[in-house]
């Protein structure tokens, strides 16, 4: 059977075999360094990205295998926008949106409270000096450059889409399942939904002269190189199969009707609908178009599933986001007894529109269907609500459980993986009734 590289799972399996047999090009990083990291990821089950403020696994200790998601380094985030404590929880170089701060906001996350996930610090780039260079062995001609104005002159598309970190919900592996994981200890706020406006990546690639044999497209950020455990991983970059690149990927220059803010990749970022956040490269400066699969740390040792509950050499590189729900309420909130209130929250899925959301106010015994406040659409979230009058005083848990249009419902537990990606289990949201 011929290999169908437009089929995501076939593509990833083929890519993985090539990598394991040493046939792959490693795109700028010394291949032995990558292999070392890859072996560490598979064997110890964690990378040990220990330096504060480097990669996502920044909560890990130096040994890389003993830390839990409960520790957070003290590095100050290098963002441009302010990060007030009512809106954000700081986690190393990153800022998590407080879900309670979304209460009363519309379907779009306001820019002042959209989470920030930075491997290093936000660079300040002037749109007038900015260029996008498209290059590589799978172009019909030489490199082609796009200025900001040239990009903006291309036909524009606008879509409402979430960007969500693959590690969103990671802390619940530890607090709810008692498991050790490495990485930033996000609760559920490493997600935001925005209205993105930009050019189609497919238009840019076609204008650059895409050759028939193109396989991978590798966007790379203009932020600093990422150095971890003495290994320079180079600038942030993760390959996309050309099939996805031509399908629905956007080079965005506007977010919620504003020029793309510096912290979210301004002047131009990649937005990859429904895929894990790392795919959506911020501050994109160049895109390599290759006739062979490409490998970077972000699709080999990072952003794959490793551990005893996973395939022996790890999973294929992660692509689509999973299914989650969150209450617009602080974890551990105190709520007064006998006073009617409206519980509100949001649910989303990378696979399909959210179909139904149920809530339990008694720790999971009885479930009630919520009212949905948005027309469910893939790529975005739905807001929901349920009236609740707390009665018995004392600690309890609120649970929300979504089902998407594929029929998938959030499970009670998520199979463990060492880096704590793709948590999708129902979260027990602690509250105290007083
Ligand atoms: N160049 C660059 N792109 C990047 C990152 C980064 O650090 N540098 N972080 C990635 C990760 S891990 C995520 S989850 C999203 C976060 O996007 P946001 O900060 O706009 O919320 O951007 C992705 N793109
Ligand atoms: Mo991420």
């Amino acid at each position: 059977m011929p290999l169908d590289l437009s089929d995501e799972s076939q593509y990833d399996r083929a890519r993985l075999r090539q990598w394991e047999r040493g046939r792959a090009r490693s795109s700028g990083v010394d291949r032995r360094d990558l292999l070392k990291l890859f072996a560490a990821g598979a064997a110890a089950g964690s990378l040990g990205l220990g330096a504060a403020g480097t990669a996502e696994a920044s909560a890990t200790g130096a040994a890389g295998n003993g830390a839990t998601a409960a520790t957070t380094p003290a590095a100050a985030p290098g963002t441009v926008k302010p990060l007030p404590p009512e809106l954000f929880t700081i986690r190393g170089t990153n800022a998590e949106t407080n879900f309670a701060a979304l209460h009363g906001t519309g379907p779009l996350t306001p820019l002042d409270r959209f989470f920030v996930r930075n491997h290093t610090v936000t660079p300040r780039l002037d749109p007038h000096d900015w260029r996008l260079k498209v290059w590589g062995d799978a172009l019909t001609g030489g490199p082609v450059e796009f200025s900001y104005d040239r990009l903006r002159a291309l036909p524009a598309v606008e879509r409402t889409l979430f960007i969500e970190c693959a590690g969103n919900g990671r802390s619940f592996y530890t607090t709810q399942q008692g498991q050790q994981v490495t990485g930033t200890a996000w609760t559920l706020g490493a997600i935001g939904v925005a209205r993105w406006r930009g050019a189609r990546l497919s238009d840019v690639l076609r204008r650059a002269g895409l050759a028939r044999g193109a396989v991978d497209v590798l966007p790379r950020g203009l932020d600093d190189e990422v150095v971890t455990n003495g290994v320079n991983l180079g600038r942030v970059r993760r390959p996309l199969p050309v099939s996805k690149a031509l399908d629905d990927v956007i080079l965005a220059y506007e977010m919620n009707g504003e020029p793309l803010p510096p912290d979210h990749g301004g002047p131009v970022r990649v937005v990859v609908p429904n895929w894990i956040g790392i795919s959506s490269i911020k501050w994109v400066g160049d895109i390599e178009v290759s006739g062979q699969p490409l490998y970077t740390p972000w699709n080999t040792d990072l952003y794959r599933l490793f551990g005893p509950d996973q395939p022996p050499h790890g999973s294929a590189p992660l692509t689509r986001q999973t299914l989650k729900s969150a209450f617009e309420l602080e974890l551990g909130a105190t709520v007064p007894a006998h006073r009617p209130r409206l519980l509100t929250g949001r649910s989303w899925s990378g696979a399909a529109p959210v179909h139904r959301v149920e809530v339990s106010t008694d720790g999971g015994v009885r479930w009630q269907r919520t009212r949905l406040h948005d027309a469910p659409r893939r790529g975005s979230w739905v807001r929901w609500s349920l009236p609740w009058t707390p009665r018995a005083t004392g600690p309890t848990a609120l649970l929300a459980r979504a089902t998407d249009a594929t029929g998938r419902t959030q499970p009670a537990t998520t199979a463990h993986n060492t880096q704590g990606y793709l948590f999708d289990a129902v979260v027990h949201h602690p509250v105290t009734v007083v």
Side-chain angles (χ1 to χ4, degrees):
M1 201 179 69
L3 196 62
D4 175 10
L5 289 179
S6 65
D7 176 306
E8 271 170 33
S9 64
Q10 275 198 32
Y11 169 91
D12 283 331
R13 279 197 302 274
R15 189 207 300 256
L16 214 53
R17 280 196 303 273
Q18 260 186 316
W19 168 252
E20 279 157 3
R21 288 179 198 145
R23 297 231 183 97
R25 268 207 301 146
S26 60
S27 165
V29 183
D30 184 312
R31 193 150 185 288
R32 278 163 310 173
D33 280 343
L34 266 187
L35 280 173
K36 261 195 318 217
L37 289 168
F38 178 68
S46 74
L47 252 181
L49 300 178
T54 55
E56 182 157 22
S58 56
T60 318
N65 53 12
T68 69
T71 48
T72 307
T79 61
V80 170
K81 72 180 177 186
L83 303 171
E86 7 13 306
L87 303 185
F88 292 104
T89 301
I90 307 303
R91 304 197 186 281
T93 56
N94 315 301
E96 172 169 356
T97 302
N98 293 338
F99 244 92
L102 297 180
H103 184 78
T105 66
L108 304 182
T109 308
L111 298 182
D112 69 350
R113 57 204 77 186
F114 202 101
F115 86 104
V116 182
R117 163 63 181 122
N118 276 354
H119 282 70
T120 60
V121 301
T122 297
R124 294 275 211 161
L125 305 171
D126 182 342
H128 296 105
D129 302 333
W130 177 86
R131 296 280 181 282
L132 174 66
K133 181 174 160 190
V134 184
W135 61 282
D137 64 15
L139 289 185
T140 50
V144 178
E145 281 201 352
F146 293 81
S147 67
Y148 188 70
D149 289 342
R150 185 174 174 201
L151 194 77
R152 291 201 68 128
L154 295 176
V157 284
E158 245 190 73
R159 278 191 72 186
T160 300
L161 296 165
F162 66 74
I163 286 185
E164 183 188 15
C165 189
N168 195 23
R170 175 182 286 130
S171 66
F172 298 106
Y173 280 105
T174 305
T175 58
Q176 202 162 291
Q177 303 191 170
Q179 295 160 336
Q180 294 203 339
V181 288
T182 56
T184 302
W186 305 110
T187 58
L188 288 169
I191 177 166
V193 172
R195 184 99 183 134
W196 307 95
R197 182 182 170 85
R200 287 188 190 85
L201 177 56
S202 61
D203 284 343
V204 166
L205 293 176
R206 291 208 178 88
R207 275 171 176 77
L210 190 66
R212 275 238 297 268
V215 168
D216 266 359
V217 164
L218 181 63
R220 181 164 58 161
L222 291 165
D223 42 339
D224 286 344
E225 295 180 332
V226 179
V227 179
T228 179
N229 282 359
V231 178
N232 186 340
L233 304 181
R235 301 211 318 260
V236 178
R237 64 208 185 286
R238 189 177 199 254
L240 283 170
V242 83
S243 55
K244 181 68 175 172
L246 293 179
D247 179 21
D248 57 1
V249 176
I250 302 170
L251 291 167
Y253 43 72
E254 274 181 27
M255 187 178 181
N256 295 353
E258 309 264 348
L260 189 62
D263 294 315
H264 300 293
V268 178
R269 83 177 295 167
V270 179
V271 175
V272 180
N274 297 301
W275 282 29
I276 56 172
I278 185 64
S279 325
S280 293
I281 296 296
K282 304 196 274 189
W283 314 293
V284 61
D286 72 294
I287 300 179
E288 178 182 358
V289 186
S290 167
Q292 310 164 59
L294 295 175
Y295 299 85
T296 77
W298 289 271
N299 70 331
T300 52
D301 52 300
L302 297 167
Y303 301 101
R304 293 175 51 209
L305 307 179
F306 295 103
D309 299 343
Q310 304 299 338
H313 299 287
S315 73
L318 301 179
T319 56
R320 262 187 354 209
Q321 260 297 357
T322 185
L323 183 58
K324 288 192 192 69
S325 301
F327 289 94
E328 296 170 342
L329 191 67
E330 305 89 67
L331 290 162
T334 299
V335 296
H338 309 296
R339 209 174 296 160
R341 61 188 296 133
L342 198 61
L343 288 174
T344 62
R346 298 169 192 238
S347 300
W348 60 95
S349 164
V354 169
H355 179 65
R356 165 173 95 238
V357 183
E358 299 149 295
V359 162
S360 170
T361 57
D362 58 7
V365 183
R366 236 166 36 92
W367 292 87
Q368 287 171 274
R369 202 153 165 168
T370 63
R371 184 160 93 77
L372 303 187
H373 294 258
D374 298 297
R377 282 192 313 98
R378 187 167 179 215
S380 186
W381 51 22
V382 286
R383 293 171 297 162
W384 44 259
S385 68
L386 183 79
W388 179 44
T389 307
R391 307 230 178 254
T393 56
T396 184
L398 302 175
L399 282 65
R401 176 172 80 184
T403 300
D404 71 20
T406 68
R408 210 167 158 275
T409 299
Q410 287 183 255
T413 55
T414 305
H416 175 253
N417 68 90
T418 56
Q419 294 176 94
Y421 297 130
L422 299 188
F423 189 85
D424 65 351
V426 174
V427 168
H428 294 239
H429 187 121
V431 295
T432 303
V433 181
V434 291

